[in-house]
Amino acid sequence: MDRLISRKLYDRALKSLVAGVNSPVRSFSGVNMPPVFAARAEGQHIFDADGNRYLDFLMSWGAIILGHAQPDIVQAIHHAARKGATYGLSTEKECELAELIKEALPGIEQLRMVNSGTEAVMSALRLARGFTGRAKIIKFDGCYHGHWDGLLVKAGSGLATFGLPASGGVPEGFTAETLVVPFNDLDAVESLAKEHGHAIAAIIVEPIAGNMGVVPPADGFLQGLRLICDRIGALFILDEVMTGFRVAWGGAQRKYGIMPDLTTLGKIIGGGLPVGAFGGRADVMAKLAPIGNVYQAGTMSGNPVVMHAGVAALQALKQANPYSAFEHRSARLEAGLRQAAAKAGVPLQVNRAGAMITAFFTRQPVCDRASGQTADATRYSAFFREMLDRGVLLPPSQWEAAFLCTAHTDADIEHAVQSASEAFSAIAQS
Ligand code: PMP
C-alpha cells in the first residue's frame, strides 16, 4: 500500500508543526512508522491523502459513534454555520443539548458546556476543591484525564505510549496534592482514605479505563469508591469523556448503576466538533460563578455550531439505540481476535466493554496499568502495520482503545477478523 503523499505531507508538517502533529499520539511514534494523513471519511471508512481506504476502528479516539459525515450532523453544521459561527450570547440549542445530556445521565442535574475533555476535568476538579474546601485528589495509575497540570502524574494515553511517568513543565507543587493508586485496587484507596480522608476533595476515575487500553472495573470497585467518598465527605467524579454515550445511552454510570457527584464529558456529545461538559449535583454546581465563587468561563463554550452538531448527534444516537448491536458485533470481534491469535500461537488478552476494545499482546490478564505494561509494544506495532496494509486502521498505540460505530457491519467485523488472522500469522514468525 502506497503512502507517498502522506509521507510528503509529514515532511512538510515537520517544518512548521512540532513533530509534525497537533497532538502527540497522532505522530505514530507508538507504532514506529510515519503518520497517515487523512483526507476524508465517510461512515466506517477513512481515506488517506493517497486515496487508500481503511476500515476505521480509531473513530477519532472515540469521538465518532454514528460513523463519519453522518448526514443529520452534516446538515446541522451547515444550517448553523449559515447563521453565524459564534455570538458570545446564549442560544436555545445550549438548552436543548443540556436537556438531552441531563435526561441521559442520572448523575447530572446541572451542567456547563466547555470546549474539550481536558477543560471539563480541570473545571470539575477546581469546583470539587472549591465546594469541599479541601485540596487533595485521588486518581488512578494509567487513567488519563486530559493534559491539565494537576493530573499529569502516572497518566495513560500518550504518556503511557511514550513511557513518560509525568510531564515536564509541571512544578512539583502542582501535583503535590494528587495521590495516585493502582486501578481496581480498593484496598489502596481505603488506606489513603484512612490517612488523608479529611483532606481529600475528590476521587476521579475513568469508570471503564480506556487510556491504558481498555480495562473494565472489577466487580464492586466503583461501588466501593462511591462508599469511600460518602464516608470521608469527598466528591466522586466519573470521567465519562470516553464512556459517556459510548457504553450505554446513560454512560458507564447507568451501565453500572453508580451515582457520581460530578461527571465529565467530551467527544461524542459534540458530534465530532470540539466539545466538553461537566455537570452533577445542583448544590455542587451552584458553587460556580456567577452564583458561586468558583470561577470558570469560556468565549467558545456552548458554541452554536457545536451545539447544533451535538444535538443532531445525540438525537440520532437516541433513535438508533445501537447498544445491543454494538454488544453483539464487538463480542464477535473479541471472539474472532482470541481464536485467530490462539491459532497463530500469539499470546493475546482481549479486554472489552461494549464498543470499546483492546487486544494486549501479553499472556497476563490485564486489570491495571502494571499488568497492561507487560504487553509487547513492539509486537503491537508490527500487528498495527500489518492491519494497516490490509486496510484496517487501529489506534496507533498498544495502550489505547479501539471503537466501533453504527456504520460497522457484520461483514466489516468478519473482514477485520480475517485481516487479524493473517496479521497474527505474519507477526508470529517475527
Ligand atoms: N478524559 C478522558 C477519559 C479522555 O479519554 C480524554 C481524551 N482522550 C480526556 C479526558 C481529555 O479530553 P480532550 O482530549 O478532549 O482534552
Side-chain angles (χ1 to χ4, degrees):
M1 200 178 262
D2 228 337
R3 279 185 284 270
L4 293 174
I5 300 178
S6 270
R7 191 59 228 225
K8 275 194 190 137
L9 287 172
Y10 182 45
D11 289 342
R12 178 174 158 198
L14 282 169
K15 295 195 180 103
S16 46
L17 293 166
V18 182
V21 292
N22 281 312
S23 193
V25 281
R26 273 180 230 163
S27 70
F28 278 38
S29 49
V31 284
N32 294 315
M33 62 174 285
V36 171
F37 274 64
R40 69 184 179 91
E42 197 179 332
Q44 70 275 51
H45 294 115
I46 199 157
F47 298 81
D48 71 12
D50 292 87
N52 300 307
R53 190 182 84 162
Y54 305 96
L55 184 57
D56 184 12
F57 290 99
L58 176 62
M59 286 293 142
S60 191
W61 305 89
I64 300 293
I65 194 165
L66 294 157
H68 295 284
Q70 199 270 355
D72 295 350
I73 302 177
V74 172
Q75 201 188 2
I77 293 171
H78 275 233
H79 171 80
R82 274 197 296 265
K83 297 206 280 185
T86 178
Y87 314 123
L89 294 172
S90 294
T91 67
E92 186 176 358
K93 278 287 159 186
E94 292 169 65
C95 307
E96 241 184 278
L97 188 57
E99 285 155 10
L100 276 163
I101 291 172
K102 261 180 63 169
E103 171 199 307
L105 290 148
I108 297 190
E109 291 176 333
Q110 292 260 290
L111 67 144
R112 273 244 168 110
M113 304 300 311
V114 291
N115 305 289
S116 69
T118 296
E119 208 186 327
V121 167
M122 176 187 86
S123 310
L125 282 166
R126 182 183 306 140
L127 176 61
R129 284 170 160 167
F131 181 80
T132 58
R134 301 170 174 187
K136 291 194 191 304
I137 293 159
I138 296 181
K139 85 172 276 285
F140 295 89
D141 191 0
C143 283
Y144 176 71
H145 302 287
H147 63 96
W148 177 55
D149 300 58
L151 290 179
L152 278 180
V153 258
K154 296 194 177 171
S157 191
L159 288 98
T161 303
F162 307 126
L164 301 172
S167 168
V170 179
E172 243 173 61
F174 284 40
T175 52
E177 308 286 10
T178 309
L179 309 169
V180 188
V181 284
F183 190 73
N184 274 332
D185 188 344
L186 213 45
D187 291 342
V189 183
E190 283 286 6
S191 41
L192 279 185
K194 272 200 191 95
E195 198 180 336
H196 302 285
H198 58 284
I200 295 169
I203 297 180
I204 183 163
V205 68
E206 287 181 70
I208 298 160
N211 286 292
M212 50 179 131
V214 174
V215 182
D219 281 349
F221 176 59
L222 298 172
Q223 289 82 352
L225 294 179
R226 174 71 271 179
L227 290 175
I228 292 171
C229 283
D230 288 343
R231 202 173 66 230
I232 64 177
L235 297 186
F236 189 29
I237 306 178
L238 289 187
D239 182 353
E240 298 231 42
V241 167
M242 193 182 279
T243 54
F245 296 92
R246 164 65 59 188
V247 296
W249 169 251
Q253 55 195 260
R254 206 181 274 282
K255 182 177 166 80
Y256 296 112
I258 302 291
M259 195 63 146
D261 298 300
L262 292 174
T263 301
T264 51
L265 294 166
K267 300 192 192 267
I268 288 173
I269 62 164
L273 298 192
V275 81
F278 66 106
R281 275 168 42 190
D283 61 330
V284 178
M285 294 301 287
K287 260 283 183 192
L288 281 180
I291 38 177
N293 66 358
V294 175
Y295 199 71
Q296 182 278 333
T299 303
M300 288 294 161
S301 295
N303 172 274
V305 183
V306 179
M307 296 300 100
H308 273 79
V311 167
L314 293 193
Q315 279 172 344
L317 190 58
K318 189 177 172 192
Q319 189 167 4
N321 191 14
Y323 300 100
S324 59
F326 278 155
E327 184 57 35
H328 162 78
R329 291 209 175 97
S330 55
R332 168 65 196 130
L333 180 60
E334 175 186 352
L337 289 172
R338 282 185 203 283
Q339 282 156 8
K343 201 162 144 218
V346 172
L348 194 78
Q349 301 290 327
V350 186
N351 279 5
R352 183 179 71 82
M356 299 166 55
I357 187 164
T358 299
F360 294 94
F361 286 81
T362 175
R363 288 177 198 286
Q364 209 173 307
V366 175
C367 60
D368 58 13
R369 156 120 118 178
S371 45
Q373 286 294 314
T374 65
D376 183 343
T378 309
R379 228 171 193 196
Y380 181 83
S381 291
F383 177 68
F384 172 91
R385 294 190 302 265
E386 292 288 341
M387 292 295 273
L388 197 68
D389 284 341
R390 287 172 177 78
V392 180
L393 177 65
L394 298 173
S397 163
Q398 168 68 93
W399 296 287
E400 298 280 2
F403 300 95
L404 266 63
C405 74
T406 57
H408 285 115
T409 63
D410 289 341
D412 290 329
I413 301 299
E414 293 314 317
H415 173 66
V417 169
Q418 178 56 34
S419 303
S421 176
E422 293 167 18
F424 288 138
S425 301
I427 64 164
Q429 277 121 46
S430 62

